[in-house]
Amino acid sequence: MRNNDLSQLKPLQLDALKEVASIGAGNAATSLSAMLNSKIKMTVPNVNLTPISDLPGIIGNEEELIVAMLVRTEGDINGGVLFTLLPDSANLLIQLLAGQDTDIENELGEFEASALKEISNILTGANLNAFSQMLDLKINPSVPSLEFDMAGAILEVCFIELGQIGDYALVIETEFLSDMEQEVKGNFFLIPEPESLQFILEKLGVASER
């Protein structure tokens, strides 16, 4: 599959990718529920393959503050995973974990950063494990790096680095709801090398012709 073919994925291919992502969300919900001692429901409303240059528009205004966790992947899927949250969603997750009110816009200390990295590890790991288990892939994630800054500044740095990997990202929109009906929204951006994406599609049995 050539790079300029990646935007031409058919509904069947996107449905197959969404199915894997939905299983990952289910795994993440189970892990988060145990970690937070609170029942968490997670859904994946949309999965799309999007040019990296279009990703800032998905997150929002470039001057908007976001939390971003970046994980490198090696093995059968070489590339990176970027997980983003708006501050309100990050505050809620930390509150559920620690049982105390948090405002990371005023203070993002070592405790808050550690909590977000741990949550990111669970969410990212669950999604990658779904790909690994369903498609018999070996995926080795790195330790996540955490940034809290304006979206434009974070994405510019991340995409300069990840842009060297691939031109497209698999965007997995994730919504989760706590048992107190508190809603959190996040985005996963799986940015594989073109050869890794081709390999994923071949494993799904829906690869396009080269």
Side-chain angles (χ1 to χ4, degrees):
M1 182 185 289
R2 298 182 304 274
N3 256 8
N4 58 6
D5 292 331
L6 297 182
S7 61
Q8 305 302 318
L9 291 184
K10 298 177 181 179
L12 175 64
Q13 296 169 315
L14 289 174
D15 285 346
L17 290 169
K18 183 175 180 179
E19 177 64 22
V20 179
S22 295
I23 291 172
N27 293 342
T30 300
S31 297
L32 267 183
S33 294
M35 179 183 180
L36 303 177
N37 195 28
S38 175
K39 186 171 178 57
I40 302 293
K41 298 178 182 178
M42 294 186 69
T43 60
V44 178
N46 290 298
V47 173
N48 289 292
L49 196 66
T50 303
I52 285 181
S53 59
D54 291 348
L55 296 189
I58 296 174
I59 294 177
N61 190 305
E62 65 177 15
E63 296 183 355
E64 190 166 27
L65 287 170
I66 64 169
V67 177
M69 278 70 71
L70 179 64
V71 176
R72 281 277 194 167
T73 61
E74 296 180 344
D76 291 331
I77 297 182
N78 292 308
V81 176
L82 183 67
F83 174 52
T84 66
L85 289 167
L86 294 177
D88 285 348
S89 291
N91 287 334
L92 177 56
L93 286 176
I94 296 171
Q95 180 185 354
L96 288 172
L97 176 63
Q100 63 186 42
D101 290 338
T102 302
D103 183 2
I104 61 172
E105 291 190 59
N106 288 325
E107 180 180 9
L108 178 56
E110 184 176 342
F111 171 78
E112 291 83 5
S114 177
L116 288 172
K117 285 184 180 180
E118 183 62 25
I119 292 168
S120 173
N121 268 332
I122 289 177
L123 296 176
T124 302
N127 276 278
L128 292 178
N129 284 340
F131 281 91
S132 178
Q133 293 174 7
M134 285 196 67
L135 306 180
D136 191 25
L137 300 173
K138 292 181 180 179
I139 308 173
N140 302 313
S142 69
V143 175
S145 59
L146 174 69
E147 296 291 341
F148 180 50
D149 203 341
M150 292 186 294
I154 288 178
L155 294 178
E156 182 177 358
V157 173
C158 289
F159 296 153
I160 285 175
E161 180 179 355
L162 295 181
Q164 300 172 4
I165 297 173
D167 297 326
Y168 286 83
L170 182 65
V171 180
I172 302 172
E173 295 182 35
T174 304
E175 296 179 352
F176 30 118
L177 197 67
S178 74
D179 56 5
M180 298 177 64
E181 300 298 307
Q182 296 164 301
E183 187 178 45
V184 173
K185 291 186 178 181
N187 283 313
F188 287 93
F189 304 101
L190 175 60
I191 307 175
E193 291 180 348
E195 294 79 6
S196 295
L197 179 57
Q198 171 70 21
F199 188 52
I200 292 171
L201 295 175
E202 288 175 351
K203 284 285 191 175
L204 288 167
V206 292
S208 297
E209 294 180 359
R210 292 179 184 271

